[in-house]
């Protein structure tokens, strides 16, 4: 069993950006809050301990790999203590390097010694902890007080066999980012883009008018692919849990994207996807006009594409005709509670408040810049249209307007939490997509070869 767990973790490490950006072209293509907020290095890893007055205080040890999460947890724990004086907690937070923390957690759970009470687990790593005897607590009952206002698909992504094992940090709603200035100059109205055919036609019109690319074709990520696949009702696995990347839906999606590339208006961007340090300068300088990305890309714009302030609009993504799913969530970090912890029940109650309450959701937006999973705050215009908020100031549209537009049709690919997904993403982002969109290999041939590679791995 130990070899299997470590093997799964190694595979996940190789495809650390499973469900986000992946591949060997960029070593730091991690998901949303992982990359946006992560300032952790081996040198900066350390402990942060709350100062709590009183004798009747429960100490909870928390592991994370995202330094910004530490301060957020402390701030929210202080609010918890103020509202629950009979259940005060003192958080002792340990900040570690990404791989070190996940590997240390695996060994602690396996040995039964040294595990924390609470731990952040990145979505790409989560499947490794859903195999064999699960050492994480079932959080379903702790989530119940917030269930009616939380986006269900983001609970599902940390679930197995009907039990929820992680508190989501955000939705990561996939949206469209349009450089409105560039499109207006080319006579393209982004508001008229409703379907993928509209998106493709707008790209061709823009390219003919400017000679510049409209949007990118991904080779080191699957943001657009996952979205399209979900809209078509497809998956990476069949109903029995076997790898099935040669499905009709997958062929249709990759063929459609190839057709976009063949117009000349869509091309691979340096780094292979929009969320990449190699790609940011190209967007910032106007070489590409549109992105299909999770909502947390807002932080990339404010941090790395500063010249575009006041020029970019956020809109709903295109969809295929008849799609039941409009959009999906991308990336994430699930906060888990170790089942064997002495104070597991209290830890679950506290973290449910810190991650899912309306109060927490306001801070997740204000401090971290993410779309919170509690939709109760999505219509609070004092929050979402606050003129002092950096994201409200940056974009030409109110970011939450699109969230409210699509909130009833946010789906997911059910395979996201399967232990096979890190290997699948690794294959796609290092082999399959490059073979098709860089080397020109036949789509069915490329998928068949990758299917055989994955079948051999899981045989």
């Amino acid at each position: 069993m130990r070899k299997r767990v470590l093997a799964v973790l190694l595979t996940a490490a190789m495809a650390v950006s499973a469900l986000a950006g992946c591949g060997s072209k960029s070593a730091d293509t991690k998901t949303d809050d992982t990359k946006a907020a992560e300032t952790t290095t081996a040198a900066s890893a350390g402990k942060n301990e709350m100062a709590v007055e009183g004798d009747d205080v429960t100490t909870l040890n928390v592991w994370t790999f995202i330094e910004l999460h530490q301060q957020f947890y402390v701030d929210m724990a202080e609010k918890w203590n103020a509202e629950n004086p009979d259940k005060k907690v003192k958080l002792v937070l340990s900040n570690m390097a990404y791989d070190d923390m996940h590997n240390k957690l695996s060994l602690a759970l396996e040995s039964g010694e040294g595990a924390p009470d609470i731990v952040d687990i990145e979505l790409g790593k989560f499947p490794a902890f859903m195999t064999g005897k699960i050492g994480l607590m079932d959080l379903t009952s702790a989530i119940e007080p917030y269930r009616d206002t939380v986006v269900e698909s983001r609970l599902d992504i940390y679930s197995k066999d009907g039990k929820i094992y992680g508190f989501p940090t955000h939705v990561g709603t996939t949206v469209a980012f349009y450089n409105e200035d560039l499109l207006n100059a080319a006579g393209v109205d982004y508001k008229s883009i409703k379907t993928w055919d509209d998106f493709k036609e707008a790209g061709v019109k823009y390219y003919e008018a400017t000679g510049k690319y409209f949007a990118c074709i991904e080779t080191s990520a699957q943001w657009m692919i996952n979205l399209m696949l979900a809209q078509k009702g497809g998956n990476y696995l069949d109903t029995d849990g076997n790898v099935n990347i040669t499905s009709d839906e997958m062929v249709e999606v990759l063929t459609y994207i190839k057709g976009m590339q063949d117009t000349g208006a869509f091309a691979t961007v340096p780094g292979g996807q929009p969320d990449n340090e190699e790609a940011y300068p190209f967007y910032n300088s106007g070489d590409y006009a549109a992105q299909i990305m999770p909502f947390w890309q807002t932080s990339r714009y404010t941090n790395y594409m500063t010249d575009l302030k006041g020029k970019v609009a956020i809109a709903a993504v295109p969809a295929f005709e008849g799609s039941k799913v409009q959009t999906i969530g991308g990336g994430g970090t699930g906060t888990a509670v170790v089942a064997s912890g002495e104070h597991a029940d209290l830890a679950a109650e506290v973290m449910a408040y810190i991650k899912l309450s309306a109060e927490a959701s306001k801070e997740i937006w204000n401090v971290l810049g993410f779309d919170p999973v509690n939709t109760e705050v999505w219509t609070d215009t004092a929050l979402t249209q606050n003129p002092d908020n950096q994201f409200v100031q940056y974009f030409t549209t109110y970011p939450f307007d699109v969230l409210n537009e699509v909130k009833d049709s946010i789906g997911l690919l059910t395979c996201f939490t399967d232990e096979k997904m890190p290997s699948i993403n690794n294959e796609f982002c290092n082999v399959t997509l490059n073979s098709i969109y860089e080397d020109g290999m036949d789509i069915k041939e490329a998928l068949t070869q990758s299917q055989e590679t994955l079948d051999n791995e899981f045989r």
Side-chain angles (χ1 to χ4, degrees):
M1 178 60 189
R2 179 173 181 175
K3 290 182 179 179
R4 176 58 177 158
V5 171
L6 292 177
V8 172
L9 275 173
L10 178 59
T11 302
M14 293 172 65
V16 65
S17 51
L19 319 180
C22 52
S24 60
K25 289 186 177 180
S26 177
D28 66 346
T29 47
K30 296 174 183 174
T31 66
D32 49 68
D33 40 332
T34 311
K35 186 176 177 184
E38 182 182 7
T39 56
T40 302
T41 64
S44 68
K47 287 190 175 182
N48 182 13
E49 189 170 317
M50 289 178 62
V52 184
E53 296 181 358
D55 297 326
D56 190 16
V57 177
T58 302
T59 297
L60 298 174
N61 289 295
V62 184
W63 289 2
T64 183
F65 55 95
I66 305 168
E67 193 169 46
L68 192 56
H69 279 197
Q70 290 197 52
Q71 189 57 53
F72 171 71
Y73 289 160
V74 168
D75 291 344
M76 289 308 303
E78 289 174 349
K79 293 183 179 182
W80 164 271
N81 287 344
E83 294 181 23
N84 300 272
D86 58 330
K87 297 181 181 179
K88 285 187 176 182
V89 296
K90 176 183 179 180
L91 302 186
V92 178
L93 298 111
S94 296
N95 197 35
M96 307 178 203
Y98 177 85
D99 284 321
D100 290 347
M101 193 217 73
H102 288 93
N103 292 336
K104 186 176 180 181
L105 176 63
S106 177
L107 294 174
L109 292 177
E110 187 179 344
S111 66
E113 298 180 358
D117 297 289
I118 300 164
V119 61
D120 278 346
I121 304 176
E122 198 264 340
L123 179 57
K125 297 283 193 179
F126 219 90
F129 297 95
M130 295 291 98
T131 61
K133 183 180 179 181
I134 298 175
L136 306 179
M137 182 181 180
D138 176 5
L139 303 174
T140 308
S141 60
I143 288 169
E144 197 58 38
Y146 311 100
R147 193 77 183 244
D148 292 342
T149 56
V150 171
V151 176
E152 188 71 24
S153 63
R154 296 312 281 177
L155 300 178
D156 293 342
I157 209 166
Y158 300 112
S159 301
K160 185 174 183 179
D161 299 329
K163 298 178 180 179
I164 304 169
Y165 292 97
F167 296 116
T169 304
H170 61 75
V171 182
T173 311
T174 305
V175 296
F177 295 90
Y178 294 112
N179 188 320
E180 193 171 4
D181 271 20
L182 293 179
L183 297 185
N184 286 341
V188 176
D189 180 10
Y190 79 88
K191 295 178 183 177
S192 67
I193 300 175
K194 305 297 182 183
T195 68
W196 286 111
D197 285 346
D198 295 336
F199 188 75
K200 183 178 178 180
E201 290 169 8
V204 171
K205 182 177 181 180
Y206 178 79
Y207 180 68
E208 290 176 346
T210 66
K212 293 185 177 181
Y213 299 122
F214 180 68
C216 85
I217 302 297
E218 300 162 340
T219 55
S220 67
Q222 294 140 281
W223 304 118
M224 192 160 61
I225 293 167
N226 288 341
L227 171 65
M228 287 182 166
L229 191 61
Q231 289 176 346
K232 282 189 169 291
N235 216 318
Y236 288 88
L237 306 175
D238 63 21
T239 55
D240 295 322
N242 300 310
V243 176
N244 183 30
I245 61 171
T246 58
S247 67
D248 291 343
E249 295 85 359
M250 181 65 77
V251 172
E252 289 171 9
V253 165
L254 298 189
T255 300
Y256 194 93
I257 294 173
K258 185 64 170 66
M260 292 165 62
Q261 183 184 34
D262 289 343
T263 67
F266 302 79
T268 58
V269 70
Q273 60 142 328
D275 183 30
N276 191 290
E277 289 179 0
E278 296 175 66
Y280 301 145
F282 287 86
Y283 287 96
N284 194 48
S285 61
D287 289 337
Y288 292 78
Q291 296 184 16
I292 302 297
M293 288 296 296
F295 185 87
W296 45 257
Q297 186 75 351
T298 53
S299 67
R300 310 302 200 268
Y301 277 97
T302 56
N303 287 328
Y304 306 122
M305 293 168 272
T306 55
D307 291 347
L308 301 185
K309 183 177 181 179
K311 300 179 180 179
V312 178
I314 304 177
V317 292
F320 291 109
E321 294 286 352
S323 297
K324 294 181 180 179
V325 171
Q326 169 71 37
T327 187
I328 61 174
T333 295
T335 303
V337 174
V338 175
S340 61
E342 181 182 357
H343 308 292
D345 289 337
L346 177 60
E349 187 179 0
V350 171
M351 291 311 295
Y353 170 83
I354 288 177
K355 298 298 288 288
L356 304 180
S357 69
E359 187 65 28
S361 294
K362 293 176 182 178
E363 293 306 298
I364 286 171
W365 165 242
N366 285 328
V367 177
L368 302 177
F370 302 147
D371 48 344
V373 294
N374 190 330
T375 60
E376 182 181 344
V377 304
W378 288 15
T379 55
D380 180 359
T381 55
L383 175 77
T384 64
Q385 298 182 14
N386 177 7
D388 295 325
N389 181 277
Q390 65 169 321
F391 304 106
V392 172
Q393 292 176 350
Y394 185 99
F395 294 98
T396 63
T397 53
Y398 288 119
F400 276 77
D401 283 357
V402 66
L403 298 181
N404 285 305
E405 180 183 342
V406 303
K407 71 177 183 180
D408 294 328
S409 57
I410 302 174
L412 81 162
L413 293 174
T414 56
C415 58
F416 274 2
T417 53
D418 191 278
E419 63 175 326
K420 298 183 181 69
M421 281 309 297
S423 293
I424 293 173
N425 282 290
N426 189 52
E427 177 69 16
F428 261 71
C429 297
N430 284 297
V431 180
T432 317
L433 300 182
N434 282 287
S435 295
I436 295 170
Y437 300 120
E438 293 284 10
D439 302 334
M441 181 181 287
D442 177 78
I443 291 172
K444 290 184 178 180
E445 181 182 352
L447 288 172
T448 298
Q449 288 186 8
S450 290
Q451 176 78 40
E452 291 173 354
T453 297
L454 292 165
D455 284 344
N456 288 334
E457 178 178 345
F458 294 111
R459 184 167 296 163

